[in-house]
Amino acid sequence: MNISRRQLLALTGATTTAMAAAKLQAAEKASTATGLKDAYKDDFLIGAALSATIIKQQDPKLIALVNKEFNSITPENCMKWGEMRNEDGSWKWQDADAFVDFGTKHKLHMVGHTLGWHSQIPDSVFKNKDGTYISKAELAKRQKEHITTIVSRYKGKLAAWDVVNEAVGDDNKMRDSHWYKIMGDDFLVNAFNLAHEIDPNAHLMYNDYNNERPEKRQATIEMIKRLQQRGTPIHGLGMQAHIGLETNMQDFEDSILAYSALGLKVHLTELDIDVLPSVWNLPVAEISTRFEYKPERDPYIKGLPKEIDEKLAKAYESLFKILLKHRDKIDRVTFWGVSDDASWLNDFPIKGRTNYPLLFNRQHEPKAAYFRLLDLKR
Ligand code: GLA
């Protein structure tokens, strides 16, 4: 029988395997060429928050994905006061060190998160055993010890710090936190001054949620101006951007312009888009039960319907169009997580739902939104 080499090759199983391998290699090569971080390299950094679990597991595929798509990382939890320190004040460095080692090894821009926050910090930092507040001088001392120790340890490795997180409350006044009640604005001024003294090259940011909205933006601007009048070394403004499908994206454009007019670089620090029914605006009677799980509040357990996936893609697309338009004012856009399976929004504000807020699905494959963002750069 006269048979060509090609036909022969096609007939042999071994060669089929070899061809499949070559095909896979080619596909892998093609896919490594066009990560988001490369597509946006002339615009701003593209970041992701990484959990301590991701760093520990060292899943090669996930690590490859992180390296392909992102050039900046933020620790999801491991640098928060409550994670770094035992009740007696002693330090737990393991996860934070592992995070910094990971970023160093993979040459990623790293953001420290966070030096001053009212959450994930024990009451004992602020209170005596009898429940009364410690003095302002004592809290300032604890703050100094905390910030000095951690910023020194990672000096020159972390490029930026979320110095203070969420100091403006939902009523658009200064948040009535323990920090603020004891120290007032000095809580913020000291935090920035301390970080700057220790690492003068670090980019120092104020970070908050909902601060793209007009009222909170105004309150934030007033706060920043007060800090600036006192010569506080603040360089960047973080909009967390935990948003929803119905978020008014125009607010971001107005906020980018307003924050940038203060001389600050703008960052989107914790971007994700919640696709599940919101429980925040339920009738008053229901607000106290907003954390209660009900099946109708978790409609996409079996998968995200195509039309919602499309809505998500559109929402990301319209946000990124604004970001690209103002790329000269924006340093970085960081997603709060890599893939849907590990997003905090599966458990917030209701535990155990199935949410789809990120660009990668539960199999770590890119979603429609991902391709839409790549298309914006083609
Ligand atoms: C806030 C904090 C983050 C994180 C998210 C939810 O936005 O800044 O550290 O806790 O909430 O995960």
Side-chain angles (χ1 to χ4, degrees):
M1 187 168 76
N2 200 355
I3 186 168
S4 76
R5 182 176 145 74
R6 203 161 155 229
Q7 284 166 318
L8 181 68
L9 288 179
L11 284 172
T12 63
T15 315
T16 311
T17 313
M19 281 168 68
K23 227 172 155 183
L24 191 69
Q25 251 178 19
E28 274 171 4
K29 211 172 152 204
S31 68
T32 46
T34 52
L36 277 180
K37 67 160 198 229
D38 292 326
Y40 283 83
K41 70 176 186 316
D42 297 328
D43 306 308
F44 33 74
L45 295 167
I46 301 281
L50 297 186
S51 66
T53 313
I54 290 188
I55 306 277
K56 258 182 224 146
Q57 278 174 344
Q58 294 286 323
D59 169 355
K61 278 197 190 140
L62 194 59
I63 307 264
L65 177 91
V66 168
N67 277 311
K68 178 188 154 201
E69 307 295 346
F70 305 103
N71 45 21
S72 173
I73 55 171
T74 305
E76 190 169 348
N77 281 300
C78 70
M79 281 189 193
K80 295 171 179 171
W81 191 303
E83 300 289 322
M84 296 222 73
R85 314 209 51 180
N86 298 304
E87 274 285 318
D88 66 358
S90 56
W91 291 84
K92 298 185 268 187
W93 292 112
Q94 206 184 354
D95 290 345
D97 281 356
F99 171 87
V100 175
D101 289 347
F102 178 89
T104 307
K105 178 172 165 199
H106 296 285
K107 300 191 174 64
L108 297 162
H109 170 274
M110 286 184 268
V111 181
H113 174 82
T114 170
L115 298 172
W117 192 26
H118 63 280
S119 279
Q120 295 182 255
I121 181 168
D123 265 12
S124 57
V125 173
F126 307 99
K127 291 183 176 171
N128 296 304
K129 287 219 167 74
D130 64 3
T132 57
Y133 273 147
I134 60 172
S135 68
K136 180 174 175 183
E138 177 58 25
L139 184 57
K141 198 172 132 208
R142 292 182 187 183
Q143 180 188 37
K144 182 172 183 183
E145 188 255 340
H146 186 80
I147 294 181
T148 307
T149 309
I150 180 168
V151 177
S152 307
R153 188 174 183 98
Y154 300 128
K155 180 178 174 170
K157 293 185 174 166
L158 302 185
W161 271 102
D162 287 332
V163 177
V164 173
N165 213 26
E166 304 175 356
V168 179
D170 294 328
D171 56 1
N172 303 316
K173 302 202 172 86
M174 291 305 287
R175 184 185 292 278
D176 210 14
S177 67
H178 295 328
W179 280 116
Y180 203 74
K181 277 201 250 186
I182 300 174
M183 295 183 69
D185 275 355
D186 287 354
F187 152 49
L188 297 106
V189 175
N190 287 10
F192 281 96
N193 278 334
L194 286 163
H196 186 61
E197 251 167 56
I198 294 157
D199 192 350
N201 294 324
H203 180 86
L204 304 182
M205 292 171 290
Y206 172 76
N207 186 45
D208 212 333
Y209 63 87
N210 289 353
N211 55 354
E212 72 281 3
R213 297 186 188 171
E215 304 78 26
K216 195 157 178 177
R217 181 201 310 145
Q218 203 41 49
T220 305
I221 290 173
E222 280 161 26
M223 179 192 76
I224 300 280
K225 282 187 171 161
R226 280 202 315 276
L227 299 183
Q228 289 180 329
Q229 269 158 18
R230 293 180 61 184
T232 312
I234 164 165
H235 315 121
L237 195 293
M239 292 192 266
Q240 293 183 1
H242 292 297
I243 56 180
L245 289 176
E246 310 306 332
T247 293
N248 175 7
M249 299 304 180
Q250 185 55 44
D251 283 347
F252 280 94
E253 176 154 39
D254 299 344
S255 297
I256 291 164
L257 293 170
Y259 292 136
S260 152
L262 295 171
L264 302 174
K265 277 291 185 180
V266 175
H267 302 244
L268 263 60
T269 53
E270 307 185 12
L271 175 59
D272 48 23
I273 303 186
D274 194 334
V275 303
L276 294 180
S278 170
V279 286
W280 297 109
N281 300 319
L282 293 174
V284 176
E286 284 228 56
I287 281 189
S288 60
T289 60
R290 66 174 179 244
F291 296 112
E292 192 190 325
Y293 182 93
K294 289 185 180 175
E296 65 268 27
R297 293 177 186 166
D298 189 17
Y300 312 132
I301 298 182
K302 293 200 177 125
L304 191 62
K306 244 197 141 65
E307 71 271 18
I308 309 291
D309 195 38
E310 176 55 27
K311 263 191 166 182
L312 180 71
K314 280 219 171 92
Y316 269 116
E317 182 181 16
S318 59
L319 175 60
F320 269 71
K321 278 186 176 161
I322 291 170
L323 301 178
L324 281 171
K325 183 171 164 198
H326 297 291
R327 58 173 164 271
D328 58 320
K329 304 169 186 67
I330 297 171
D331 265 12
R332 172 177 58 100
V333 177
T334 289
F335 294 84
W336 204 243
V338 177
S339 53
D340 289 340
D341 51 316
S343 164
W344 72 301
L345 288 174
N346 293 308
D347 289 314
F348 181 87
I350 295 175
K351 215 172 162 37
R353 295 196 295 178
T354 304
N355 214 330
Y356 301 81
L358 296 166
L359 301 184
F360 296 90
N361 68 18
R362 285 173 162 71
Q363 287 71 47
H364 302 169
E365 294 152 350
K367 294 155 65 177
Y370 171 87
F371 293 110
R372 211 62 64 82
L373 298 191
L374 276 187
D375 283 350
L376 283 179
K377 292 300 301 176
R378 286 213 171 111

